[in-house]
Amino acid sequence: MTEKRELDKRDWIAGLDKGIRIIEAFNDAHPRLTASTAARRTGITRTAARRYLRTLEHLGYVESDGQMFWLTPRVLRLGWSYFDSAKLPRAVQPYLQRIAVALGGATYYAVLDETDVVFVARDGSSQIQNVGFVLGARVSANLAAAGIAMLAYRPKEEVDAWLAGRKFVPYTQHTATTADAVRENIDNARVRGYALLEQQLAPSVRGIAVAIRKRDGTMVGSISVSLPMGTETSERAVARSLPYLREAEYALMSAF
Amino acid sequence: MTEKRELDKRDWIAGLDKGIRIIEAFNDAHPRLTASTAARRTGITRTAARRYLRTLEHLGYVESDGQMFWLTPRVLRLGWSYFDSAKLPRAVQPYLQRIAVALGGATYYAVLDETDVVFVARDGSSQIQNVGFVLGARVSANLAAAGIAMLAYRPKEEVDAWLAGRKFVPYTQHTATTADAVRENIDNARVRGYALLEQQLAPSVRGIAVAIRKRDGTMVGSISVSLPMGTETSERAVARSLPYLREAEYALMSAF
DNA sequence: TACACTTCGCGCGACTATCGCGCACCCGGA
DNA sequence: TCCGGGTGCGCGATAGTCGCGCGAAGTGTA
């Protein structure tokens, strides 16, 4: 969350903002849009929305049957620009792989984007059950060990602001749904130097995460492992996982 | 490759095109850009490029230290819009998982984007070696079994046009580097109903793929499995893989 | 130290790209 | 047959976007 420099009005390209809003108007509930519905969802006039959609169509980012518009896989190129340009996700891959093999779980490298944790690298499949995010997936930071580990390295005031006036949607019976409960998770992570979260997002899944910092101490992301809980105690899971996570943490510190 | 409707000049939003070009100007070789270099890479004037970068910064898609600009993980949201809105990648996930477990390789669901094959869903990690694409990855269609399987379902003329005037960059000693060799791969796939490719992109890796079609016959994507070659014969690999791929093929046909 | 070169931020006046209204039209459902 | 939703498109107005050109700041070299 870098400080936003004040934006001069004359440095604002309205067309770019609108175009991006059009792209993001497509989602699960609205996989295909007409010009009119796209306009309604974005607050743009229908005529303008149509122009943007047709521009995107010409660029190959959307397709259309003349009536409906839908996104093409080409939009993935945009995300790909990030993967290509962000060196950490690449540097981290061998460590993820090693940890995944050693621990038998899915491992992730994740970063914070505002209030969400975004998983930008992954290795290992969870044989037992289908816990697992795909790359680029994002969830509210309080729901994943990766998020808690990173929040523990943000200033207290920021975390408080983050917690204030936030709804915590329960995903399982055990999801922490109060600000205090989430704060406790964060405080625990700060004290211990790692985050341990159980059954917040999915039942019988345990996450363990450590924050990754640069040499100067600034936090850049986190490495986490997702394990089926089974009969293993949390102490045991932490004991066997932490050495690998710590090793990656220190190694990546000098990778910068 | 839908027919492009002729685009009326007045339906063209230059600002959106420029903004997207700015985002795509970031890549492996240019992870961080100044306004000037971004301008050079996109053919936009420096002043304009700076305005677009600052707009993107304000939107949260890039960050800046005042001099350099770099992408943030937020751009992944754009790709995510596609994953959210494309129902097939989601419907396909359980099949991929099942195949991955049964065959012990990495499985992919991929689609065509112009001349590239784009991997949009994945399951399974290859324990043996690090063969594997991440989501959104793209390679020239002739290099992956998934691509060959899909090209086999495109009209011959289109494939010829596709092959004409194309450079085939060798990735291994065995990469097919002539149009005829690639055409033979495609023809084989068309005759057999599945694609088998060996060591085109990486040594000692074998790919087997089938195209996925809707009930009306239109090809929408492909499912493939990537296996280490080891000592297994190609016949044996096909024999044990194909039943799983076929099953997914037929199941997904009705998923539409 | 001074010079040459490159970059940046920014103000400005000019222009054209973009805007949204309004119309005619088409289609499917009641 | 009517109604409500959608589309394509012409048009005139406006303000959003453009790029020049300035001064300042940084970097490498003589």
Side-chain angles (χ1 to χ4, degrees):
Chain A
M1 292 164 219
T2 51
E3 292 309 314
K4 275 193 191 80
R5 291 182 291 165
E6 209 38 60
L7 187 82
D8 203 324
K9 282 232 174 167
R10 63 198 63 183
D11 279 346
W12 178 254
I13 307 290
L16 178 52
D17 174 38
K18 288 194 196 129
I20 288 176
R21 262 153 60 205
I22 290 278
I23 294 177
E24 295 196 339
F26 292 89
N27 66 15
D28 194 18
H30 304 272
R32 291 155 56 90
L33 296 175
T34 64
S36 302
T37 51
R40 247 178 281 116
R41 286 177 55 73
T42 52
I44 304 173
T45 59
R46 177 185 69 89
T47 317
R50 178 176 172 274
R51 277 194 283 263
Y52 282 87
L53 283 166
R54 298 220 58 199
T55 302
L56 288 169
E57 180 186 6
H58 194 72
L59 290 171
Y61 291 93
V62 312
E63 284 178 350
S64 159
D65 59 6
Q67 183 92 332
M68 305 294 276
F69 293 85
W70 58 92
L71 293 177
T72 72
R74 164 129 352 154
V75 297
L76 294 172
R77 275 187 18 190
L78 299 173
W80 201 245
S81 291
Y82 169 75
F83 283 122
D84 272 351
S85 66
K87 66 178 175 184
L88 201 57
R90 274 175 295 144
V92 93
Q93 201 63 249
Y95 294 97
L96 293 186
Q97 192 168 16
R98 202 161 139 213
I99 301 173
V101 170
L103 301 180
T107 54
Y108 298 94
Y109 176 69
V111 298
L112 271 186
D113 176 25
E114 305 277 324
T115 65
D116 290 347
V117 40
V118 184
F119 297 88
V120 297
R122 171 193 176 174
D123 201 280
S125 71
S126 51
Q127 290 83 353
I128 321 292
Q129 43 187 317
N130 192 6
V131 294
F133 305 103
V134 291
L135 293 189
R138 55 175 63 225
V139 295
S140 184
N142 60 291
L143 292 169
I148 297 291
M150 289 190 277
L151 287 176
Y153 276 98
R154 307 296 309 179
K156 276 223 170 207
E157 318 81 62
E158 187 187 314
V159 172
D160 285 338
W162 192 89
L163 290 169
R166 223 177 134 58
K167 293 240 186 182
F168 299 99
V169 184
Y171 279 73
T172 73
Q173 297 173 356
H174 306 87
T175 302
T177 51
T178 67
D180 282 342
V182 173
R183 195 196 320 272
E184 193 185 328
N185 284 339
I186 298 172
D187 288 341
N188 279 339
R190 192 180 295 114
V191 171
R192 295 176 182 156
Y194 66 90
L196 168 67
L197 233 52
E198 295 184 340
Q199 310 195 92
Q200 294 288 301
L201 192 55
S204 303
V205 178
R206 170 186 288 144
I208 305 170
V210 299
I212 305 295
R213 284 158 297 155
K214 292 200 283 190
R215 285 229 167 276
D216 65 9
T218 56
M219 186 269 297
V220 290
S222 75
I223 284 198
S224 60
V225 58
S226 178
L227 296 167
M229 290 177 65
T231 57
E232 190 177 40
T233 66
S234 55
E235 290 77 20
R236 176 94 194 89
V238 168
R240 73 187 181 95
S241 303
L242 211 48
Y244 291 97
L245 294 173
R246 287 265 182 258
E247 185 199 347
E249 177 187 350
Y250 293 126
L252 288 168
M253 197 173 276
S254 19
F256 264 96
Chain B
M1 291 165 219
T2 52
E3 291 311 315
K4 275 195 192 78
R5 291 182 289 165
E6 208 37 61
L7 188 82
D8 201 324
K9 280 231 176 169
R10 63 198 63 183
D11 279 346
W12 178 255
I13 307 288
L16 178 52
D17 175 38
K18 286 191 197 135
I20 288 176
R21 261 154 60 204
I22 290 278
I23 294 178
E24 294 196 340
F26 292 89
N27 66 15
D28 195 18
H30 304 272
R32 291 154 56 90
L33 297 175
T34 64
S36 302
T37 49
R40 247 178 283 115
R41 286 176 55 72
T42 52
I44 305 174
T45 60
R46 179 184 68 89
T47 318
R50 179 175 171 276
R51 278 195 282 265
Y52 282 87
L53 283 166
R54 298 221 58 199
T55 301
L56 287 170
E57 181 186 7
H58 194 71
L59 290 171
Y61 290 93
V62 312
E63 283 178 351
S64 160
D65 60 6
Q67 185 91 332
M68 305 294 278
F69 295 83
W70 58 92
L71 293 177
T72 72
R74 162 128 353 151
V75 298
L76 294 171
R77 276 188 16 190
L78 299 172
W80 202 244
S81 291
Y82 169 74
F83 282 122
D84 272 352
S85 66
K87 65 179 175 182
L88 201 59
R90 275 175 296 144
V92 94
Q93 200 63 251
Y95 294 97
L96 293 185
Q97 190 169 18
R98 202 160 137 212
I99 301 173
V101 170
L103 301 179
T107 53
Y108 299 93
Y109 176 70
V111 298
L112 271 185
D113 177 25
E114 305 277 323
T115 65
D116 290 347
V117 42
V118 184
F119 298 88
V120 297
R122 170 191 178 176
D123 201 280
S125 72
S126 51
Q127 290 82 353
I128 321 293
Q129 41 186 318
N130 192 8
V131 294
F133 305 103
V134 290
L135 292 189
R138 55 176 62 225
V139 296
S140 184
N142 60 293
L143 292 169
I148 297 293
M150 289 190 278
L151 287 176
Y153 276 98
R154 308 294 311 179
K156 277 221 170 212
E157 316 83 62
E158 187 187 314
V159 172
D160 285 338
W162 191 90
L163 290 168
R166 221 177 135 59
K167 294 242 187 182
F168 300 98
V169 184
Y171 280 75
T172 74
Q173 297 174 355
H174 306 87
T175 302
T177 50
T178 67
D180 282 342
V182 174
R183 196 196 320 272
E184 193 184 328
N185 284 336
I186 297 172
D187 289 340
N188 280 338
R190 191 179 293 115
V191 171
R192 295 175 182 157
Y194 66 89
L196 167 68
L197 234 53
E198 295 183 341
Q199 310 194 94
Q200 292 290 300
L201 191 55
S204 302
V205 177
R206 169 185 290 143
I208 305 169
V210 299
I212 305 295
R213 285 158 297 155
K214 292 201 280 188
R215 285 228 167 277
D216 64 9
T218 56
M219 187 268 297
V220 290
S222 75
I223 285 198
S224 61
V225 58
S226 177
L227 296 167
M229 290 177 66
T231 58
E232 190 178 41
T233 65
S234 55
E235 290 77 18
R236 175 95 193 89
V238 167
R240 71 186 182 98
S241 302
L242 210 48
Y244 291 97
L245 295 173
R246 287 267 181 257
E247 186 199 347
E249 178 188 350
Y250 294 126
L252 288 168
M253 197 173 275
S254 19
F256 264 96

